[in-house]
Amino acid sequence: MNLRLMTSADIAAGMRLKDIAGWNQTSTDWERFLRASPEGCFVAEVDGKVVGTATTMVYEGRLAWIGMVLVDPDYRGRGIGTELLEKTIDYLDAHRIPTMKLDATPQGKTIYEKLGFVTEYEIERWTLKRAPGAATVTAESPAPDLERILSADREVFGADRGDLLRSLDREAPEFTLMTSSPGHLTGYALGRRGSRADQLGPWMARDEASARDLLDRFLRCSGRETVFVDCLKENPCTRQLVRSRGFEFSRPLTRMYRGPNTHPGQPELLCAALGPEFG
Ligand SMILES: CC(C)(COP(=O)(O)OP(=O)(O)OC[C@H]1O[C@@H](n2cnc3c(N)ncnc32)[C@H](O)[C@@H]1OP(=O)(O)O)[C@@H](O)C(=O)NCCC(=O)NCCS
């Protein structure tokens, strides 16, 4: 088994692995990882075939996100996932990134625990299946103040991920939503069109009415048959809200970190995270 840097020539192989796992990313998402972290995305190869991947994305030079940890089912249980993780940790350590985070599936969690990751909080993937509707795919008018959203997200997430959010907004501006009371931002949401579903997140609201308004506007804009949202379990109103709109629980995720969690952000304001691959 050989570990090497991932390049754009490996995107098709990455798409194959994520399709097997039933994940929602697109080729554009892989391009995003490679552009943001050209020296920090890796593949595992056996006899010239890509059988595993892991990506990193560094926010503000102090918080790294690890994602896309995937191993071909035919090659699991041989230590490849662990070696990919060790490779990303070595890379991030060499760049003196103090904090690493990820959202673990139950399958991945034991590997991460062995490598020193601890639980921060629990996340739940909720899925809406509905008849395809007529989407209102027009962007909000007037356009929401993206800079205000980015500045709020910096506080809520705990690091600046403006480049990433700007790229999501460029691709699906109709999903960039904001609620406000005079002079005061009360909520925001962004979204993306994945390979299997539209995904809402990040979704932040200071009160229930804003949370509801953002969710309903997102669902109207999307119109897609399948919609995902990764809700923070500790936010009780979110769960009730998504359930009332027809979402069903699909799977648990655990947000984990390694190193000091010195900038935890304000998860109590978050209804839903951006997604396991980004944070
Ligand atoms: C999670 C995933 C990446 C693990 O990949 P993997 O290559 O099977 O991982 P490893 O082989 O390093 O570890 C898996 C198990 O095999 C064991 N193992 C490690 N080296 C081994 C070896 N040489 N021989 C036998 N078993 C070994 C590990 O101890 C581990 O056991 P545990 O589950 O009790 O902790 C893989 O199952 C996968 O792609 N799952 C679907 C996507 C997913 O959930 N990804 C994680 C996202 S957070």
Side-chain angles (χ1 to χ4, degrees):
M1 198 268 299
N2 172 40
L3 291 184
R4 63 162 174 82
L5 270 184
M6 182 173 187
T7 71
S8 53
D10 300 311
I11 290 180
M15 287 296 279
R16 183 184 79 86
L17 294 177
K18 79 91 204 167
D19 281 338
I20 294 172
W23 288 2
N24 193 33
Q25 293 78 19
T26 59
S27 307
T28 312
D29 289 320
W30 288 102
E31 283 161 18
R32 251 192 271 277
F33 298 120
L34 294 175
R35 217 175 21 249
S37 196
E39 304 292 319
C41 299
F42 304 99
V43 296
E45 239 176 11
V46 174
D47 300 330
K49 180 183 176 186
V50 171
V51 299
T53 55
T55 60
T56 60
M57 204 173 258
V58 177
Y59 300 119
E60 269 188 72
R62 59 174 163 77
L63 168 61
W65 201 268
I66 298 174
M68 306 311 290
V69 180
L70 287 163
V71 173
D72 185 322
D74 292 343
Y75 294 83
R76 287 181 193 165
R78 306 181 187 183
I80 295 176
T82 303
E83 282 195 47
L84 277 163
L85 242 291
E86 284 169 344
K87 181 86 178 168
T88 60
I89 292 172
D90 287 349
Y91 165 77
L92 296 168
D93 278 344
H95 286 77
R96 298 180 185 283
I97 313 297
T99 310
M100 303 172 199
K101 289 196 182 189
L102 50 80
D103 287 344
T105 60
Q107 253 178 333
K109 197 175 171 200
T110 52
I111 301 178
Y112 303 135
E113 279 167 346
K114 285 181 198 160
L115 293 172
F117 284 83
V118 295
T119 297
E120 184 176 11
Y121 51 79
E122 301 295 335
I123 292 177
E124 293 180 336
R125 160 78 44 103
W126 287 74
T127 302
L128 175 67
K129 295 270 185 198
R130 59 180 176 172
T136 346
V137 284
T138 47
E140 296 264 296
S141 178
D145 184 344
L146 188 59
E147 291 312 311
R148 251 176 104 191
I149 292 177
L150 299 187
S151 135
D153 187 77
R154 209 159 36 235
E155 301 302 314
V156 171
F157 179 63
D160 186 347
R161 50 180 180 176
D163 288 347
L164 172 62
L165 297 188
R166 272 193 199 91
S167 81
L168 299 181
D169 174 65
R170 269 195 305 276
E171 265 162 53
E174 66 277 16
F175 288 156
T176 302
L177 306 167
M178 193 175 111
T179 53
S180 58
S181 57
H184 186 65
L185 181 140
T186 56
Y188 65 84
L190 285 97
R192 58 207 153 104
R193 300 195 180 274
S195 56
R196 300 173 59 216
D198 284 354
Q199 178 148 4
L200 165 61
W203 171 26
M204 178 288 251
R206 293 186 182 277
D207 54 71
E208 204 176 330
S210 304
R212 191 181 322 113
D213 184 29
L214 291 167
L215 175 63
D216 288 341
R217 276 154 67 196
F218 179 87
L219 292 177
R220 277 198 303 276
C221 280
S222 154
R224 189 116 174 235
E225 289 168 86
T226 310
V227 179
F228 292 155
V229 60
D230 290 334
C231 296
L232 273 69
K233 197 175 171 183
E234 276 167 36
N235 192 332
C237 97
T238 316
R239 204 195 262 180
Q240 273 173 14
L241 196 50
V242 294
R243 196 181 273 136
S244 74
R245 297 304 187 263
F247 284 78
E248 289 183 1
F249 171 79
S250 17
R251 60 186 176 94
L253 290 161
T254 305
R255 178 147 303 190
M256 306 181 85
Y257 65 94
R258 184 179 193 272
N261 190 18
T262 37
H263 296 84
Q266 300 168 307
E268 66 280 5
L269 295 180
L270 260 189
C271 301
L274 170 46
E277 64 282 62
F278 297 118

